[in-house]
Amino acid sequence: MRSEILLIILGMAAVTFLTRFGAVALLKQTGLPTWFERWFKHLPTAVLTALIVPGLILPQGWIDLSLHNHYLLAGILTAIAAYLGRNAMLTMGLGLISILSLRWLGI
Amino acid sequence: MDEYRQGVRDSLPVMLGVVPFGITCGIMGLSAGLTPVETVLMSLLVFAGAAQFIGITMLGAGLSGWGLIVFTTLLINLRHLLMGMSLAPYLLKLPLARQLLLTFSLTDEAYAVIMSRTDREGYNANYQMGSSWAFYIIWAASTTVGVLVGSYIPDPLAWGLDFAMPATFLAMLMPRLTNYVSIAVCSVAAIVAVVGAVYLPGKWYIIAACLAASITGGLLEKEDKHAF
């Protein structure tokens, strides 16, 4: 293994760990502020939305609101199924079936 | 033991969506000129998909030095600070060894799975351990598959299997949208994420969306309290 590459990998690993452990290390010193709960209550909803929506609206890296965007169509179907069914496995299965059939039917 | 296993089980659908990305990571490593061992080592030590994709691309372009690649990695991963803060109330009660194991293995995917469970049944450290390290193992394994058989697979991301991830996240998101505050948070996050994905580099759109949406949520919650 080349030492230059190893150093890059170790550097990447170190700063990545820093971002993961940083919040816990900082808050260990100062304790949890009182406003904390209210501001972080909705973070999971925000993270989920930020992970899902760009993947559906920009699957190729640009905004695609056309019927050729299989990710968006399958995403809408999956969202409806998730809202009505409330079952993770079923929703995922339906989602995969819808994207694969859109792909193979070539709509 | 049950909590570990439950964490793994709830992560399975998302893990299925991680596999094509891991295989792609392995293929990209080789095509950027890394050896198979270097590529897998990166997945084992860094364990952050987006940062690895960008780091490998910069290595392959051959123009970037140590500082630039490491600094870019730091910027891409800053979003972990936000997730770490939201988990801190639970993590701070645990012994240091567990804190280290749980923070090292924190990912977007595991965070989403863990917070869904935390809302339903409360936080459990063993559950987080099971979920997080299941993602670690599948990431390392699929990177290994990528470097071993990568040249025979045309383009794993074209399978459509990567849709397993947003599909599972939708199953977690929709039940959360129960009142107008959460719908407002979701709408703000969606708009900022899409605009950010167009105009911001890397994964900064996640940070922008999370900050904007959290502030929206915080302000609306406050108004709610004044109303009663």
Side-chain angles (χ1 to χ4, degrees):
Chain A
M1 185 167 328
R2 293 158 291 175
S3 59
E4 185 204 1
I5 302 287
L6 184 64
L7 281 178
I8 288 178
I9 293 175
L10 289 177
M12 290 174 72
V15 294
T16 305
F17 180 70
L18 200 72
T19 64
R20 288 173 167 152
F21 188 65
V24 175
L26 281 175
L27 293 168
K28 194 176 283 179
Q29 306 300 320
T30 60
L32 290 170
T34 43
W35 48 265
F36 207 78
E37 196 191 336
R38 200 176 71 220
W39 288 91
F40 280 95
K41 188 177 161 192
H42 293 286
L43 191 70
T45 303
V47 171
L48 282 169
T49 309
L51 289 175
I52 298 164
V53 176
L56 302 182
I57 294 187
L58 310 88
Q60 317 286 343
W62 60 85
I63 293 181
D64 182 359
L65 295 174
S66 73
L67 286 177
H68 298 288
N69 182 352
H70 296 165
Y71 285 86
L72 183 57
L73 291 180
I76 293 169
L77 287 175
T78 309
I80 296 169
Y83 187 75
L84 297 177
R86 314 240 151 172
N87 177 318
M89 269 318 215
L90 190 73
T91 304
M92 206 272 292
L94 267 169
L96 274 185
I97 290 168
S98 55
I99 189 105
L100 292 176
S101 44
L102 281 167
R103 184 141 299 174
W104 295 117
L105 294 173
I107 298 167
Chain B
M1 196 63 218
D2 273 353
E3 291 292 345
Y4 285 102
R5 224 179 297 156
Q6 193 61 43
V8 177
R9 205 178 306 150
D10 290 351
S11 306
L12 282 175
V14 192
M15 285 163 73
L16 179 66
V18 167
V19 171
F21 286 95
I23 295 176
T24 304
C25 183
I27 300 173
M28 274 179 70
L30 296 191
S31 57
L34 296 181
T35 65
V37 174
E38 288 165 349
T39 308
V40 173
L41 189 71
M42 190 189 276
S43 280
L44 288 173
L45 294 181
V46 182
F47 184 41
Q52 288 180 236
F53 281 129
I54 292 171
I56 288 171
T57 309
M58 290 172 83
L59 274 170
L63 295 168
S64 333
W66 187 89
L68 192 56
I69 294 180
V70 171
F71 184 63
T72 310
T73 305
L74 177 68
L75 293 184
I76 296 165
N77 286 326
L78 272 181
R79 66 187 192 283
H80 292 138
L81 270 179
L82 284 172
M83 298 178 210
M85 282 192 159
S86 122
L87 283 167
Y90 313 111
L91 292 175
L92 284 171
K93 293 183 189 132
L94 303 173
L96 181 65
R98 295 217 107 191
Q99 289 179 356
L100 293 172
L101 281 172
L102 289 174
T103 51
F104 170 79
S105 58
L106 178 64
T107 54
D108 300 337
E109 291 80 6
Y111 176 79
V113 172
I114 292 154
M115 291 317 279
S116 286
R117 133 92 200 211
T118 302
D119 285 348
R120 290 192 315 265
E121 297 160 71
Y123 175 80
N124 184 288
N126 293 346
Y127 181 95
Q128 180 174 359
M129 203 68 100
S131 169
S132 295
W133 287 91
F135 282 115
Y136 184 80
I137 290 165
I138 200 76
W139 182 244
S142 55
T143 308
T144 308
V145 170
V147 298
L148 293 179
V149 301
S151 44
Y152 306 105
I153 301 174
D155 176 11
L157 289 180
W159 298 344
L161 264 190
D162 52 331
F163 189 75
M165 219 184 302
T168 316
F169 288 152
L170 276 169
M172 298 173 181
L173 176 66
M174 297 311 285
R176 305 184 73 94
L177 306 178
T178 48
N179 55 42
Y180 87 96
V181 179
S182 54
I183 292 170
V185 167
C186 174
S187 311
V188 170
I191 293 164
V192 175
V194 168
V195 175
V198 175
Y199 292 107
L200 297 175
K203 283 232 175 185
W204 274 89
Y205 67 88
I206 295 185
I207 296 181
C210 287
L211 287 178
S214 296
I215 290 170
T216 308
L219 291 174
L220 290 175
E221 290 284 336
K222 203 172 175 182
E223 277 169 19
D224 248 3
K225 246 169 225 159
H226 282 299
F228 291 100

